[in-house]
Amino acid sequence: MADSSSTTVTDLISTVHQDIIETHILTRLDGPTLASLSCASTLLHKLASNELLWSKICRSTWPSTATISDNPRSFFSDVYSVLDAGGSVSDLDRPFPELISAVDLHYRGKLILSRVVKTETTMAWFLSSPLRIDLVDAKDTVVTPIKRGRWTEDTCRDLEQDLTLSWIVIDPIGKRAANLSSHRPVTVQRNWLSGEVEAKFATVVGSVECVITVVTCGEEEMHVKEVSLKVEAMEGTSLNGMDSLVILRSVMEGKRGNGRRREAESKWRHEEFMEKKRELKEKKIRVELVFDILTVAVGVLGFGTLVGFCLWSR
């Protein structure tokens, strides 16, 4: 029965003209659906392998990548999939002269920021300084349709649902890419002194977290004043450029999972990372407290011994 059913489906598909399938059916599908459909039959696999079709999907999903990808189907697979864990870097000695960042920020499905930044990675200052890639100049804020209004807890929840971001890092030499964003913010907080709103997108890789910060300001309408990327260790320190490159390359070459799990898994991993970070900080405080107590005890003991020795000498 299974073979008969399968044959019937294939026969039905074969009766539809290929031009109709390509122009009226496949063009209406998103990437994940198209990838699933390509497994249904040999004909659909052939039609769904059209590079032009995948190129259009990449451009519509991530507008900033319009002129970047040479192999759109492979690129979509790299970027859409969620990062399971960092792998081992295949060739650490291979040149990595440039890191490309393609970033798209949406509010309620409307594109409000789309930029590509190329970062030179061979300079001494980059390799030794904490990694920080900025997309927005301090004097050049980006206007958004987000209305300020009265700030409440519901405002945070609304922004967590309405803001989406993709930060794609690309290795132009190795032809690999990865999306470091959690798609939606893992946290949204307001600075009660400055009034600025900070939305944090994050992806945890092993013992480090790739953190993307979006800061907005403005009285009536919110303006984006900062969009930045850094890689943080669990101790709270930022990794330098050299160490960050190793992490990013391992991410691009590492294991991948189903991209549909991105939001839930990123949120869960972030909360677990922050919990471990708090535990590490508390442990450090306890160790420092014990050390301080021992230091005071040794000092008191030394002072008492000195006093006793002076009295005994008389």
Side-chain angles (χ1 to χ4, degrees):
M1 290 296 292
D3 292 339
S4 176
S5 176
S6 176
T7 303
T8 301
V9 171
T10 304
D11 289 342
L12 287 173
I13 293 174
S14 64
T15 61
V16 182
H17 198 279
Q18 290 189 19
D19 289 343
I20 296 177
I21 297 176
E22 287 182 305
T23 58
H24 295 284
I25 298 176
L26 299 186
T27 54
R28 298 174 182 270
L29 304 179
D30 60 12
T33 306
L34 183 63
S36 299
L37 188 67
S38 68
C39 302
S41 71
T42 304
L43 174 62
L44 288 176
H45 178 76
K46 178 183 177 181
L47 296 178
S49 298
N50 188 318
E51 292 296 309
L52 182 60
L53 189 61
W54 284 102
S55 180
K56 290 180 179 178
I57 290 175
C58 286
R59 289 201 303 271
S60 62
T61 309
W62 308 291
S64 61
T65 67
T67 59
I68 294 178
S69 177
D70 295 328
N71 186 345
R73 187 177 184 184
S74 176
F75 181 82
F76 183 92
S77 177
D78 272 355
V79 177
Y80 178 77
S81 57
V82 67
L83 309 176
D84 270 357
S88 57
V89 179
S90 57
D91 183 9
L92 277 172
D93 296 327
R94 176 175 64 79
F96 197 139
E98 188 178 61
L99 179 69
I100 300 176
S101 297
V103 183
D104 296 294
L105 178 64
H106 291 79
Y107 176 70
R108 293 182 177 175
K110 181 180 179 181
L111 184 66
I112 58 177
L113 174 68
S114 181
R115 292 187 181 176
V116 175
V117 173
K118 297 181 179 180
T119 306
E120 293 185 12
T121 60
T122 56
M123 307 296 288
W125 64 265
F126 172 85
L127 296 173
S128 58
S129 303
L131 175 70
R132 182 184 171 97
I133 301 177
D134 288 288
L135 259 69
V136 180
D137 188 270
K139 300 178 181 178
D140 183 26
T141 60
V142 179
V143 179
T144 76
I146 308 174
K147 301 299 181 182
R148 184 60 177 268
R150 191 172 66 88
W151 187 267
T152 65
E153 291 184 3
D154 290 337
T155 310
C156 285
R157 286 193 290 267
D158 290 342
L159 286 176
E160 286 183 5
Q161 292 300 315
D162 295 337
L163 280 177
T164 59
L165 178 138
S166 62
W167 188 302
I168 303 169
V169 288
I170 303 168
D171 174 6
I173 303 297
K175 305 295 183 182
R176 297 301 302 270
N179 189 352
L180 302 179
S181 176
S182 50
H183 187 60
R184 284 189 167 84
V186 292
T187 60
V188 175
Q189 296 178 331
R190 179 175 182 258
N191 187 311
W192 295 104
L193 292 177
S194 64
E196 295 176 346
V197 180
E198 179 182 292
K200 180 188 287 187
F201 303 77
T203 293
V204 176
V205 183
S207 60
V208 302
E209 184 174 46
C210 301
V211 180
I212 302 163
T213 305
V214 177
V215 178
T216 61
C217 61
E219 294 297 329
E220 297 181 359
E221 291 184 345
M222 290 188 179
H223 293 210
V224 177
K225 63 173 291 187
E226 178 189 328
V227 182
S228 61
L229 168 70
K230 59 182 178 180
V231 181
E232 289 185 353
M234 198 169 289
E235 294 80 6
T237 57
S238 296
L239 272 62
N240 61 27
M242 180 180 292
D243 294 336
S244 296
L245 278 182
V246 174
I247 296 295
L248 295 180
R249 285 189 60 182
S250 71
V251 163
M252 286 185 269
E253 299 178 15
K255 298 178 181 179
R256 306 297 177 94
N258 190 336
R260 297 185 189 276
R261 308 196 316 260
R262 179 181 300 276
E263 289 181 35
E265 195 158 320
S266 297
K267 185 93 171 179
W268 172 77
R269 287 185 184 180
H270 170 73
E271 291 173 353
E272 185 181 47
F273 182 86
M274 295 304 294
E275 181 62 30
K276 290 181 179 179
K277 190 175 181 179
R278 282 190 291 268
E279 291 175 356
L280 186 64
K281 185 177 180 179
E282 290 172 359
K283 182 179 179 181
K284 184 179 179 180
I285 291 174
R286 288 196 299 269
V287 170
E288 290 177 349
L289 180 61
V290 171
F291 180 77
D292 290 342
I293 293 173
L294 289 175
T295 301
V296 172
V298 170
V300 171
L301 180 61
F303 179 75
T305 302
L306 179 61
V307 172
F309 176 77
C310 291
L311 294 175
W312 180 78
S313 299
R314 292 181 180 180

